[in-house]
Amino acid sequence: MTNSPVVPEVDLSAGGRQVGHLRVPQSRDDSGWGTIQVPIVVVANGTGPTVLLTAGNHGDEYEGQVALLDLARTLDPGSVQGRVIILPAMHYPACAAGKRLSPLDGRDFNRCFPGDPFGGFAMSLAHFVDSVLLPVCDYQMDLHSGGTGMDIVPSAVGHILDDAGDDAGLQAKTLAMADAFGAPITLLLREVNAGPTLLAAAEKHGVVALSSELGGGGRLNPAALAITKRGVRNLLRHAGVLEGLPATGEYGPSRRMTVPDLAHYVFAPADGIWEAADPLNTTVEAGAPAGLLHRIEDPAAPPIQLSYKATGLLWCARFAGRVKAGDPVAVIARDM
Amino acid sequence: MTNSPVVPEVDLSAGGRQVGHLRVPQSRDDSGWGTIQVPIVVVANGTGPTVLLTAGNHGDEYEGQVALLDLARTLDPGSVQGRVIILPAMHYPACAAGKRLSPLDGRDFNRCFPGDPFGGFAMSLAHFVDSVLLPVCDYQMDLHSGGTGMDIVPSAVGHILDDAGDDAGLQAKTLAMADAFGAPITLLLREVNAGPTLLAAAEKHGVVALSSELGGGGRLNPAALAITKRGVRNLLRHAGVLEGLPATGEYGPSRRMTVPDLAHYVFAPADGIWEAADPLNTTVEAGAPAGLLHRIEDPAAPPIQLSYKATGLLWCARFAGRVKAGDPVAVIARDM
Amino acid sequence: MTNSPVVPEVDLSAGGRQVGHLRVPQSRDDSGWGTIQVPIVVVANGTGPTVLLTAGNHGDEYEGQVALLDLARTLDPGSVQGRVIILPAMHYPACAAGKRLSPLDGRDFNRCFPGDPFGGFAMSLAHFVDSVLLPVCDYQMDLHSGGTGMDIVPSAVGHILDDAGDDAGLQAKTLAMADAFGAPITLLLREVNAGPTLLAAAEKHGVVALSSELGGGGRLNPAALAITKRGVRNLLRHAGVLEGLPATGEYGPSRRMTVPDLAHYVFAPADGIWEAADPLNTTVEAGAPAGLLHRIEDPAAPPIQLSYKATGLLWCARFAGRVKAGDPVAVIARDM
Amino acid sequence: MTNSPVVPEVDLSAGGRQVGHLRVPQSRDDSGWGTIQVPIVVVANGTGPTVLLTAGNHGDEYEGQVALLDLARTLDPGSVQGRVIILPAMHYPACAAGKRLSPLDGRDFNRCFPGDPFGGFAMSLAHFVDSVLLPVCDYQMDLHSGGTGMDIVPSAVGHILDDAGDDAGLQAKTLAMADAFGAPITLLLREVNAGPTLLAAAEKHGVVALSSELGGGGRLNPAALAITKRGVRNLLRHAGVLEGLPATGEYGPSRRMTVPDLAHYVFAPADGIWEAADPLNTTVEAGAPAGLLHRIEDPAAPPIQLSYKATGLLWCARFAGRVKAGDPVAVIARDM
Amino acid sequence: MTNSPVVPEVDLSAGGRQVGHLRVPQSRDDSGWGTIQVPIVVVANGTGPTVLLTAGNHGDEYEGQVALLDLARTLDPGSVQGRVIILPAMHYPACAAGKRLSPLDGRDFNRCFPGDPFGGFAMSLAHFVDSVLLPVCDYQMDLHSGGTGMDIVPSAVGHILDDAGDDAGLQAKTLAMADAFGAPITLLLREVNAGPTLLAAAEKHGVVALSSELGGGGRLNPAALAITKRGVRNLLRHAGVLEGLPATGEYGPSRRMTVPDLAHYVFAPADGIWEAADPLNTTVEAGAPAGLLHRIEDPAAPPIQLSYKATGLLWCARFAGRVKAGDPVAVIARDM
Amino acid sequence: MTNSPVVPEVDLSAGGRQVGHLRVPQSRDDSGWGTIQVPIVVVANGTGPTVLLTAGNHGDEYEGQVALLDLARTLDPGSVQGRVIILPAMHYPACAAGKRLSPLDGRDFNRCFPGDPFGGFAMSLAHFVDSVLLPVCDYQMDLHSGGTGMDIVPSAVGHILDDAGDDAGLQAKTLAMADAFGAPITLLLREVNAGPTLLAAAEKHGVVALSSELGGGGRLNPAALAITKRGVRNLLRHAGVLEGLPATGEYGPSRRMTVPDLAHYVFAPADGIWEAADPLNTTVEAGAPAGLLHRIEDPAAPPIQLSYKATGLLWCARFAGRVKAGDPVAVIARDM
């Protein structure tokens, strides 16, 4: 039993479509017993697995939010076997602000798991997801995009798990789920220390789980939105919650890639304006110019030229023009 | 004579290339006599007109900043007849932050003219530009883009001036300058009450002046950067500061358009995520769907559909996914 | 003609009921051309005077906001002769925050008149009210309450005008209007230097104008709400916009009082918790104890006892428990 | 032995009246070894139990602060048998600001127990109370009110404890203590997961403990202050620290009530101005109108009507006029 | 007559010693009619000139504040012929915070003259000083120090006025007043555009006026305090308000110096830690090393060495270790 | 193996001089995968102990930062036997701001040990130092100064450890190391509950460790800088990393002192301006005046006089002029 102070307005075990909120305590100076209302939709029918779909873990990542709002309105309970739990705007204060981090306390929600029931809004909500929702799930997908700063080739993202014991089965199921989702790329990361993310939390509960990177630049990308809408229905078909087979995108099966280490990153050594040498999704060579960093403080100085340190696909590229020292401006992925 | 407290480190009347700063007083708690250093470059030789080129009026508009940094480094004084004054990162605190508005006081620098010598950093700098630089200029161009929120078809922007008296000549010169700049579009606005912008201030000094909108989305757009780099050299050729004729872009001569009134705007009636129906630079019809506004607070409610109220070119489109009530999501331009 | 950048969505000269917004420019980092939507309702029919009713000048004063929202929904255009312009939540950002001052810039809207078209949201809106609305008005009433800090005996508030020339007529009309409004008290203040309030601005335009203080304590006071609802309809009857005679409250005709000078105030000399000796609306004597100021920092020290310096009605009393040095804790009114 | 860095200026084991401070480390940029001085008063004599009385857990709750300041000044050590430890303004930074939450870090002090010696001011102080004061106490009462947002019928508040083992005795002692305190209502809550409150912390130490809700609205309520002043002396009499029997209020013995579950709450579904249908302390019926939520953004829309979902006493009512989505506007209590 | 909303609690025209406050309106969210209490002391007797002494124009300059608090307590009215008006902590919010700039709005009070009666606290107070106090003064001295950032050789500071007409007499009187004050240095500045300082405002009223720089480093410098205490009594003797002759310091008569232009400043070209080559009050040579600027971001890079550009006395030196680009680190004065 | 997400750019086990950064994740709204670059220098050669030298634990303490930047540039790898790891600006965001506390989250880095890999920038960096660097160290010295608020006689600072078991050896080594460092004073503190400092963390790893207080006042003190530069080379000689014997300062061997308890502190009881009776490094007597606290709010009240409560050396004195209630203004040290 959880000791969560979060109260759902919906009955997680009831059938049909329910639309309501999670009521998460958030004390204010002028409302000591105030709550924040996090939207939740449950669509359940018959027997089958439980799939938890989340978006708005970061508030400035829009493809998942719109795809899940659409799914929540249009998923016919009669067509469902099992249960779909949808949190279309999970970290609600960040979503309402259109920011990655919470305007309440600056927290990154994806660094809050497994949470703390009385650790403030984000920790309390993470604890509810971890202690109430994940234990009843079979599948979980947390829909991310590149956010305001980065643009990323639309990808499902999974973990390379330990290859022994229970994890071996989980690994195979994860890959099958990613194939079904059908993004252009499936990016697999060896996250021995994944840290306090929702994806790692789901895996600790034995849930077959994926994250994603579906666009970015702080905008709603129409092509990425189409991939996301198709992907979430593909996933429900794969789980057996919806009938039918997953649909493949016009780009064919998902390409399995990885980012082996920090040598596949290019970091800005100083503040400036970033002028990239190549568009996203280009194949680039180690040693080739990655772009120019323009420093406005000294118009007499030439821009700093940066180079790639690895060969592969320009999978993720700095989108926002202004960068700070230490920001990644390029991430290269390699086929596995 | 000006009573400006701003001190330039360069001699505005000297020849050759000079790189330095405007020293603008900005008192801090720990530095009562502190100054902010605004980069300035002057390239002068022989006789000819004075051209003032500015970028970074808004800090999150990058094409102009990079094009002027490039021009400042590469313009050979020996090739110049006249004088080019370059402020590549004019509203420096906003540029250093990558924000439209100043992190010092939240001011929009383009609402600060004609300034006030002791009204704080932005007002003081605007007063210097207005009382020291504009009086010695023949031509002025202030390079803007759409910023973080909007994406705009690359355009020179000018004013439709009163058609009598001195302004008639100024109007013709403005159109000729815009033709020379050679952006895909020249947008002309009837700004009888232009308000406190640099463009309006320049016109009050009788300077032939343009603004621009060269991209947006908070990124450095490579295509818009190429237009800007070509445009600023075109402008110097047109003024006779550089030899040769303006070069035309692959899209041909600039198309003259206008935005007649607020009926050519679509505004978001509420907060939400904006899903546009059309990409930028599409021809759209009055009455057609402009897009959907998704409201995250109520997953049961359908998105709000908005329609265009005018026929024309989708000249400017909301870029950032999250909008607030009252934000424009589309602006339609018509041929003149 | 105004040079206001504010655009109304309603046609001020059309008949019937119109509900829309004033669109006031407010640039944000992520929306350079953003606007704030200030609700406006116009109900017009036939011929007759124009009455401007405003509430939400301060955002934490609720009786006027609710009374005008009610009036805006229920006023039958067919019953009107003339025009009623209603701004039920005028300083919208403050109203949406439930704060006296603007969360945008900390401004007190009632210190912004006659405004400045490009001086930021509050100044720009004040300029619109002053340059567009007030010139077409015959009567104006700006509905205030005591706000979060103070509680006040429900009162209409007017100015004691110069007794010569045009003002003599205006004074009589003001008193007649206050009598018609019918609050328990009409408080008249000699405001030779009224400062930049809406009331003073209206008087400069020759409009018959009142302010009010209708409750307070940061709450919606039901008794004061009833007085306000009756009062605004009384006012329309008095102006001839509605038929019929003003209705008198159960407390009878309005009592004319004044606060002659600062000797009728009691100020807290230090920070502390205020324990009043008397409830609001009590008749008090000069020299009698006004209350105790408890200082939490030193539990060994006795509370500071303050005394009234004038005899009269405790018209306004500190409501919020915690006070700062310099805060008024009591204001005494005298019969005229 | 505690590892608390908090140092009391008073000797907790000495007799007589001592007035001093707890010195709690709070590093500032300009005072690395700065401390915050939390007032503490100890009155001790002879032999008897130790009673800890606290107020200012939330800074905008005034009845307890004033009652304890009064008690601290007036309690004659000669009349005492045992020890009374008084913290009249416990969460001092919040008290000095008149805010529920700390202006230092936004913390709610009543969610900080059992604290952390090096977790910042609030956690460090909570740890001192928990590890130094509670272990020496027999009785503890933490005096709360409704704060700025809520108004509450004056009540002692206790927990419904597990009915087996040690807790059975503690429960009986708690009820007896509440009866002695003598508020109009004794509200008992089943707090199996009470969270990190001072009340729960006291119970973990086996201390007979109560909280309270004595007024609200951000003001010092004279009637509630009288109840509080009588209550704390009643409590000392009940404990045997003072001679004599507890005095009963004019309203008779305390009425035992409870709030069974969230169905006894009414929550605002959206932001707006709350107009309650009933005054506090009214008996209301499930299904009856609870009030109207006025939304200022759309004057054409009718207010949202909310209804009670339970029958009972309107024990707690929203006080502040402006509410946000998720705020409770009414809480219904039932007789036990 | 002034239209100032500021109300003094003291009678400026009465005799004897009066201690009170200027009551300056400052609206808060929780106190709409709140005021800030600025301490004022008036000591008057017999006939003679009026001297206005002010300190705390900047809140982190302490020598003047302590010297005037001392003078205010110890000046015997019986010894006075004329009137002394003392504002020992003029810009009170900045003084209470120990900051140069106001914590209310970030304003530098010495850039607020002649003020604006309704322009906010600082502007309103400046307007009162300018429109009420300066018109009745014969002499004025505004006591400054170097503040947190700078350390300065104790100096009276005056303006080099136009040498024709009325100003010629004022110049001579200013020099005589500075000689009487008797700081080690009298620094004279040609301030043709002095900007909105109190000193310039006083001169516009024809008041014989001085400013000063008496120490710095954010500390109370005992030596500078002694100079200040002696100086203010010297000044009263010079004016004839006190009997006797000005006393000379152990360093002898004041040395007249000037800072001719910006070439006598050394500015930090970048952020870093400043290591000065010489202590304050050293005679230095143009071309000699002024110090090293250590940049923490790149430990491989050597520090930037800066040199003096003028020969003279190191009159003012950067005190705080951390500097930002554009901060002055040294100011050289020359004998006149 | 650590689970730290911090990645060093240098190879801790390689020889020669390496200059690079620790890359510490710090998510921003516009850079989700952003990092902060903390400078690190490693100089290694041959065989010998590892010495970790750190400065910038607090950002406004400059002597250590400059001394370590100097050491990092000038230490010849060929002269080294063993390894020196240098973090010259450890808590980088605080150092770049010149503040004691982090501008990111207000944390005091010296209260963050042993850290938390995912607890935010400061906790994550502390965890790296604790889990990666300290385990490979033999000696550690963390260079502090008094910061903005305090001025301190230059001192090495060590702990009085338990005198049994392993600690006995560690104590002797600590004293020997302090003697070698050679500051004017070695201050030893009995820190049974030292709290979460780097010094305590180092001791838990069995590292011979010291802290220091080398100046203060927010400035770079030249005399303290010379002591620090000599001290860090002395320490390397003592450890055998450099050849030769430690050099003694002109003041002779380090004097061993201690601050026994809080009775050796003088605290300000209220806010005000502090005027010290004695300069730093004076021998003072219990009962003698320590100074005057001037309260600006009431010019009629005399300053509060405070007295020393212990006899000894005025080892640490309030530097900044403005103090808050609870700030220490004097700390007395005694010979051991």
Side-chain angles (χ1 to χ4, degrees), chain B residues 60 99-101 108 148-149 193 195-196 267-269 316 318 324-328, chain C residues 1-4 7 9 23 26-37 118:
Chain B
D60 62 345
K99 299 279 185 191
R100 176 183 181 86
L101 308 175
D108 184 330
T148 302
N193 294 307
F267 288 99
C316 165
R318 178 72 187 173
K324 286 187 193 287
D327 284 345
Chain C
M1 203 185 81
T2 185
N3 60 337
S4 173
V7 181
E9 289 180 339
R23 200 168 283 291
Q26 172 68 13
S27 197
R28 300 197 314 274
D29 277 331
D30 70 340
S31 187
W33 303 342
T35 67
I36 289 180
Q37 306 182 141
F118 300 104

Side-chain angles (χ1 to χ4, degrees), chain B residues 92-259:
Chain B
Y92 187 78
C95 293
K99 299 279 185 191
R100 176 183 181 86
L101 308 175
S102 173
L104 295 178
D105 55 10
R107 279 192 181 273
D108 184 330
F109 189 62
N110 214 27
R111 303 291 178 278
C112 289
F113 288 84
D116 172 347
F118 300 105
F121 176 81
M123 294 301 275
S124 184
L125 177 61
H127 175 265
F128 177 84
V129 172
D130 189 76
S131 68
V132 176
L133 297 184
L134 287 180
V136 302
C137 288
D138 300 285
Y139 298 89
Q140 201 274 323
M141 187 159 186
D142 187 32
L143 297 163
H144 287 255
S145 300
T148 302
M150 307 298 286
D151 205 9
I152 307 183
V153 184
S155 309
V157 176
H159 281 170
I160 303 173
L161 301 166
D162 286 343
D163 48 6
D166 295 348
D167 278 0
L170 196 54
Q171 179 77 84
K173 289 176 187 165
T174 301
L175 292 174
M177 179 174 164
D179 287 346
F181 185 80
I185 291 176
T186 293
L187 196 91
L188 294 167
L189 296 172
R190 186 175 302 278
E191 303 237 290
V192 288
N193 294 307
T197 62
L198 173 50
L199 179 55
E203 289 164 357
K204 278 180 198 142
H205 284 279
V207 178
V208 188
L210 287 177
S211 178
S212 72
E213 299 294 350
L214 296 154
R219 72 197 187 283
L220 179 64
N221 183 319
L225 176 59
I227 293 168
T228 310
K229 285 183 171 179
R230 185 174 55 228
V232 294
R233 289 192 176 258
N234 277 349
L235 202 151
L236 295 182
R237 290 182 194 114
H238 172 72
V241 170
L242 287 181
E243 285 203 342
L245 293 177
T248 303
E250 64 285 1
Y251 40 78
S254 193
R255 180 179 174 188
R256 289 194 191 159
M257 307 192 80
T258 192
V259 178

Side-chain angles (χ1 to χ4, degrees), chain B residues 233-310:
Chain B
R233 289 192 176 258
N234 277 349
L235 202 151
L236 295 182
R237 290 182 194 114
H238 172 72
V241 170
L242 287 181
E243 285 203 342
L245 293 177
T248 303
E250 64 285 1
Y251 40 78
S254 193
R255 180 179 174 188
R256 289 194 191 159
M257 307 192 80
T258 192
V259 178
D261 54 35
L262 241 62
H264 288 71
Y265 284 70
V266 180
F267 288 99
D271 294 7
I273 302 174
W274 177 242
E275 181 183 359
D278 300 295
L280 186 72
N281 213 4
T282 305
T283 299
V284 301
E285 298 285 325
L292 300 173
L293 185 64
H294 298 272
R295 306 196 67 186
I296 61 172
E297 58 271 46
D298 183 3
I304 300 170
Q305 180 171 310
L306 302 180
S307 300
Y308 301 114
K309 292 177 291 178

Side-chain angles (χ1 to χ4, degrees), chain D residues 1-4 7 9 21 23 26-37 118, chain F residues 60 99-101 108 148-149 152 193 195-196 267-269 316 318 324-328:
Chain D
M1 203 186 80
T2 185
N3 59 339
S4 174
V7 181
E9 290 180 338
H21 296 93
R23 203 167 282 292
Q26 173 67 13
S27 198
R28 300 197 315 274
D29 277 329
D30 68 341
S31 186
W33 302 342
T35 66
I36 289 179
Q37 305 182 142
F118 300 106
Chain F
D60 61 347
K99 300 279 186 192
R100 177 182 180 86
L101 309 174
D108 183 330
T148 302
I152 307 182
N193 295 306
F267 288 98
C316 165
R318 178 71 186 173
K324 287 187 193 287
D327 284 345

